[in-house]
Amino acid sequence: GEDVEQSLFLSVREGDSSVINCTYTDSSSTYLYWYKQEPGAGLQLLTYIFSNMDMKQDQRLTVLLNKKDKHLSLRIADTQTGDSAIYFCAESISDYKLSFGAGTTVTVRA
Amino acid sequence: SAVISQKPSRDICQRGTSLTIQCQVDSQVTMMFWYRQQPGQSLTLIATANQGSEATYESGFVIDKFPISRPNLTFSTLTVSNMSPEDSSIYLCSVATGGSDTEAFFGQGTRLTVV
């Protein structure tokens, strides 16, 4: 079966880097995704990585993938107050269906 | 990218009634899905909306409770039937663009409260 795990909470000071970690179990996952959900809003696709890559960078976001350990991380550089949200890790399980982690609530403090 | 519009964005419904949620995409997409996010929880896949045929439901979800339509490649509906307070959730439509560079996008969700 599929199981995606994330730590539930992260508190970070404004200007520091945030690192959100995720582990998954399905080694056949083709894509791994990071989504952001702000209060009362839907899911915003932040970035995704193909399983044959080990790193992807997009402006302040860096995704690292360790396929051997089935570990995925999202690093947000220079964290801002607008980055406060819930971040979901998700793996593709088949035919683009996604299995989600529980979400990490990131709180940015001044 | 795909732009997804969901209607309604929120609703408060009486128990025993049904609500139909619409999902409209601005381009033709291969795959459309419906997810549920219960309060304080993560997302759970309800079903895959198949164009021109019956939806494919995940374990724990049945057609009588969550009938789904997909008449074309840009539109789908999810009905939550005979609602109870336990159905209070955010319901989200998702699309995958397929091909070699796959992105999975979500609508803004429909926040349903059953009283």
Side-chain angles (χ1 to χ4, degrees):
Chain A
E2 309 85 21
D3 197 9
V4 180
E5 294 189 355
Q6 302 176 238
S7 52
L8 294 181
F9 300 100
L10 176 67
S11 178
V12 61
R13 191 161 48 189
E14 190 174 9
D16 288 352
S17 292
S18 309
V19 179
I20 308 167
N21 294 302
C22 169
T23 58
Y24 62 98
T25 57
D26 190 344
S27 58
S28 65
S29 290
T30 310
Y31 294 92
L32 295 130
Y33 300 82
W34 284 103
Y35 288 88
K36 176 183 180 183
Q37 186 177 41
E38 296 182 73
L43 266 68
Q44 174 193 354
L45 175 63
L46 286 178
T47 187
Y48 66 97
I49 189 167
F50 190 48
S51 60
N52 69 354
M53 300 169 64
D54 51 22
M55 187 182 90
K56 181 178 181 182
Q57 187 156 2
D58 184 2
Q59 300 182 340
R60 292 191 297 124
L61 305 178
T62 303
V63 179
L64 296 178
L65 174 61
N66 181 328
K67 197 172 180 181
K68 173 176 168 288
D69 295 337
K70 300 190 185 71
H71 181 267
L72 182 74
S73 68
L74 174 69
R75 178 177 180 270
I76 305 172
D78 186 25
T79 310
Q80 303 297 306
T81 54
D83 295 324
S84 292
I86 302 175
Y87 290 81
F88 290 96
C89 166
E91 61 172 340
S92 60
I93 48 179
S94 68
D95 296 330
Y96 311 114
K97 295 188 289 188
L98 303 185
S99 177
F100 282 82
T104 299
T105 299
V106 173
T107 303
V108 181
R109 59 188 193 277
Chain B
S1 66
V3 177
I4 304 168
S5 301
Q6 269 187 246
K7 290 181 183 179
S9 58
R10 58 178 64 229
D11 207 343
I12 301 173
C13 300
Q14 296 290 324
R15 68 177 69 201
T17 63
S18 298
L19 175 72
T20 296
I21 302 167
Q22 298 181 0
C23 177
Q24 178 75 54
V25 191
D26 68 342
S27 58
Q28 293 186 344
V29 294
T30 312
M31 313 290 288
M32 293 182 79
F33 306 94
W34 287 97
Y35 288 80
R36 179 175 74 181
Q37 185 180 22
Q38 293 178 296
Q41 304 289 318
S42 186
L43 281 78
T44 302
L45 179 65
I46 297 172
T48 304
N50 299 310
Q51 194 264 327
S53 63
E54 192 172 285
T56 305
Y57 290 83
E58 299 299 310
S59 175
F61 297 97
V62 295
I63 188 171
D64 289 346
K65 176 67 176 176
F66 296 103
I68 288 170
S69 79
R70 189 176 174 193
N72 55 53
L73 293 175
T74 65
F75 185 78
S76 178
T77 66
L78 168 74
T79 299
V80 186
S81 302
N82 188 24
M83 288 183 284
S84 67
E86 293 71 36
D87 294 320
S88 298
S89 296
I90 301 174
Y91 292 86
L92 298 109
C93 170
S94 173
V95 305
T97 52
S100 61
D101 194 25
T102 296
E103 296 179 332
F105 298 97
F106 283 79
Q108 81 279 13
T110 296
R111 188 176 294 269
L112 171 62
T113 302
V114 183
V115 297

